[in-house]
Amino acid sequence: IHTDDDYSNETEYVQDIIHSVNVRTFVHQEASYLTSVYKINNYDWSWDIISSEGFDEDGVLVEKSESLYDTGGTKTGSRDYDYNPDGSWSVSESDMDYNTLYNKEYDSAGNLTSHTEYRYDADGERDGYRKTEYSTDGSYTETEVDKAYHTTDVTTYDSAGTLISKASYQYDSEGMRSRSILTVYYYDGSYTVTEKDKNGKVISEKTYDSSGKPIRS
């Protein structure tokens, strides 16, 4: 083990069973804004970080990251974990351009509470995302957000995956919400469509039977 003069780093060289060398570096953090007080970085022989673990002042794991590789051994990105004091945690995956591909959040019991998938355009710029939020009863809500971070659609489902409602939003050239349409679906196949203006005033409301025939307006 080598320790530098200011005792802020410790490096341990580890020889494994196939005689290759891994390097574990203990990095002590001083800045108060950092999540972890110290980290353990694991390197391969080429000095590429293959994994990293961060701990708080009590030695509790609060963050972890690992490199991802394809079948040919080429690095494709990374996966990061964050652990909260209440036992909940999250995991996200990024590509080689540091674009976050998805983020998943779990409660202390390990139940998935949300899943966000990010989209990117041909230039690598973020092009919106879809976030799915799960309730304890099994129902869930999907929210679509565009490149300008405007919510365009909010769709809800029951625990069986049956469509319950869908709200769609439109925006003007200045990015202000100009119109909304809410469709509520009933178990008998009928549904109600409510349209509102930019001020939230109801413009029209129509109910249709399961065949799409208007039955009330």
Side-chain angles (χ1 to χ4, degrees), residues 138-206:
S139 61
Y140 57 98
T141 300
E142 292 182 348
T143 301
E144 289 280 354
V145 178
D146 65 16
K147 190 172 186 175
Y149 295 97
H150 295 140
T151 298
T152 58
D153 295 285
V154 178
T155 310
T156 61
Y157 300 85
D158 66 12
S159 58
T162 303
L163 180 62
I164 299 298
S165 68
K166 181 175 182 178
S168 298
Y169 304 96
Q170 297 177 1
Y171 299 84
D172 60 24
S173 58
E174 297 180 350
M176 300 299 293
R177 185 176 292 180
S178 60
R179 184 169 176 257
S180 67
I181 299 175
L182 173 65
T183 305
V184 177
Y185 300 89
Y186 307 106
Y187 286 106
D188 63 0
S190 61
Y191 56 96
T192 297
V193 180
T194 303
E195 182 178 350
K196 295 182 180 181
D197 64 15
K198 63 180 181 180
N199 298 315
K201 181 180 179 180
V202 176
I203 300 173
S204 67
E205 184 173 84
K206 298 179 179 180

